[in-house]
């Protein structure tokens, strides 16, 4: 073989190696992307903000950042969603709020009808009281959760986020959470803050009615329940551990 042909062969081999490596890296990055969904509800009463609970977004995002997991944020209406629980004394919230990238994602959330489910390896439904109104019986969210689950993706939710799992029916007609071990904001937690007078229904009872096996810890203690690809957290104190469980599930699938 002449030197020119040898060099050409080596160059071609290196080109294939580099392009295949880039393609693998891009596909791997894409496979690890999480879709975070937050509420668009402006008010839960005339004098109380609706939306999502801020640390239930920032604590998982902090975990995702440290693990190198990318994410997008979506909401029923798109754009900047309303939120509660904003406290810059919370380190994860401070880190989120002082990052232009994170702020821009929050300011420009995708509307659910614009989401391309094939881009994501997992979904995280964030709590706060808003989901009790605009996650429940939301056809776009129901279809998104169903599509992701039936394509072997991870479904996760924290606090009131599991409201978005209600009435999700799979192609075989079964409810997604029927017979599954899950958790969420408990009836006792709701009553302890007198929010039971505000919310349109009791989340714990609704999850049980859908056939879920509901697991709870003492009120406001960390509790994450993992049932296969279904991961749920009980309350705001569970948000970080939920993020860690999602990362662990992604790593185990890799």
């Amino acid at each position: 073989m002449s030197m020119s042909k040898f060099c050409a062969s080596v160059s071609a081999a290196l080109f294939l190696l580099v392009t295949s490596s880039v393609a693998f890296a891009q596909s791997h990055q894409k496979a690890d992307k999480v879709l975070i969904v937050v509420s668009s509800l402006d008010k839960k009463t005339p004098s109380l903000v609706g939306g999502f609970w801020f640390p239930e977004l920032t604590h998982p995002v902090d975990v995702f950042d440290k693990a190198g997991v990318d994410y997008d944020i979506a909401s029923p209406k798109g754009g900047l969603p309303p939120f509660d629980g904003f406290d810059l004394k919370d380190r994860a919230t401070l880190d989120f709020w002082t990052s232009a990238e994170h702020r821009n994602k929050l300011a420009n959330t995708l509307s659910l009808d614009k989401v391309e489910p094939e881009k994501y390896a997992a979904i995280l439904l964030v709590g706060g009281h808003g989901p009790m109104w605009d996650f429940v019986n939301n056809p776009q969210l129901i279809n998104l959760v169903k599509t992701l689950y039936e394509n072997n993706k991870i479904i996760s939710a924290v606090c009131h986020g599991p409201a978005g799992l209600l009435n999700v029916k799979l192609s075989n007609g079964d409810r997604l959470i029927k017979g599954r071990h899950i958790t969420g904001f408990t009836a006792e937690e709701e009553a302890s803050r007198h929010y039971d007078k505000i919310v349109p229904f009791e989340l714990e009872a609704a999850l049980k009615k859908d056939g879920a096996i509901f697991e709870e810890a003492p009120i406001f203690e960390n509790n994450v329940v993992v049932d296969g690809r279904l991961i749920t957290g009980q309350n705001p104190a569970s948000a970080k551990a939920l993020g860690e469980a999602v990362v662990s599930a992604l790593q185990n699938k890799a």
Side-chain angles (χ1 to χ4, degrees), residues 190-213:
E190 208 80 82
S192 72
R193 298 289 175 86
H194 306 293
Y195 289 142
D196 56 321
K197 311 299 183 185
I198 295 174
V199 292
F201 63 93
E202 182 187 297
L203 179 60
E204 179 181 338
L207 293 169
K208 289 177 178 177
K209 185 178 180 181
D210 252 18
I213 302 168

Side-chain angles (χ1 to χ4, degrees), residues 13-27:
L14 287 173
F15 175 79
L16 288 172
L17 178 62
V18 170
T19 53
S20 61
S21 297
V22 169
F24 174 81
Q26 289 175 338
S27 64

Side-chain angles (χ1 to χ4, degrees), residues 43-50 133 198:
K43 292 182 178 182
K44 57 191 175 190
T45 74
S47 59
L48 292 175
V49 67
W133 281 266
I198 295 174

